[in-house]
Amino acid sequence: MKNVYPVKTLNQLRPLLIGFRKANELTQKDVSKRLGVTQQTYARLEANPASASIERLFKVFTVLGVEISLSPMSGSSEMMQPGENESLINLPARREKW
């Protein structure tokens, strides 16, 4: 049986990344080597995963052996309004080349 970890807020990403990394007995350096980035780059992403793109998070979760599954939120038809994420577009972690 697969475990399911619903993520409802961006603050939940950091402990999940750390937990999956440690469950696989990997260091930040191990993960960074598998991603082809420096340990410092990965450490920044792990410290603030909310600033990373879904593409980068997908790569990290793939390295950690985690499958991402999306589903509609139950009981909610609210959607993010245009412009709500504009403040995240220019964060340094999003500008780094992977």
Side-chain angles (χ1 to χ4, degrees), residues 30-37 42 56 59-60 63 98:
D30 296 330
V31 175
S32 69
K33 281 183 182 179
R34 293 178 186 195
L35 291 169
V37 299
Y42 179 73
R56 287 189 184 149
K59 287 178 183 179
V60 172
V63 164
W98 286 52

Side-chain angles (χ1 to χ4, degrees), residues 24-90:
N24 285 300
E25 299 179 353
L26 297 170
T27 64
Q28 286 183 341
K29 188 159 188 76
D30 296 330
V31 175
S32 69
K33 281 183 182 179
R34 293 178 186 195
L35 291 169
V37 299
T38 66
Q39 185 271 332
Q40 293 164 323
T41 296
Y42 179 73
R44 279 195 299 269
L45 181 141
E46 192 175 89
N48 188 16
S51 68
S53 69
I54 189 73
E55 179 183 11
R56 287 189 184 149
L57 289 171
F58 187 83
K59 287 178 183 179
V60 172
F61 281 124
T62 298
V63 164
L64 297 175
V66 177
E67 179 182 275
I68 297 173
S69 177
L70 303 175
S71 63
M73 293 172 39
S74 60
S76 175
S77 61
E78 293 179 25
M79 293 181 63
M80 193 170 270
Q81 297 302 312
E84 278 189 59
N85 264 347
E86 287 178 11
S87 62
L88 297 178
I89 291 171
N90 291 317

Side-chain angles (χ1 to χ4, degrees), residues 1-13:
M1 183 173 136
K2 291 184 180 182
N3 291 327
V4 177
Y5 303 93
V7 177
K8 296 188 181 210
T9 69
L10 294 174
N11 291 335
Q12 293 173 289
L13 290 173

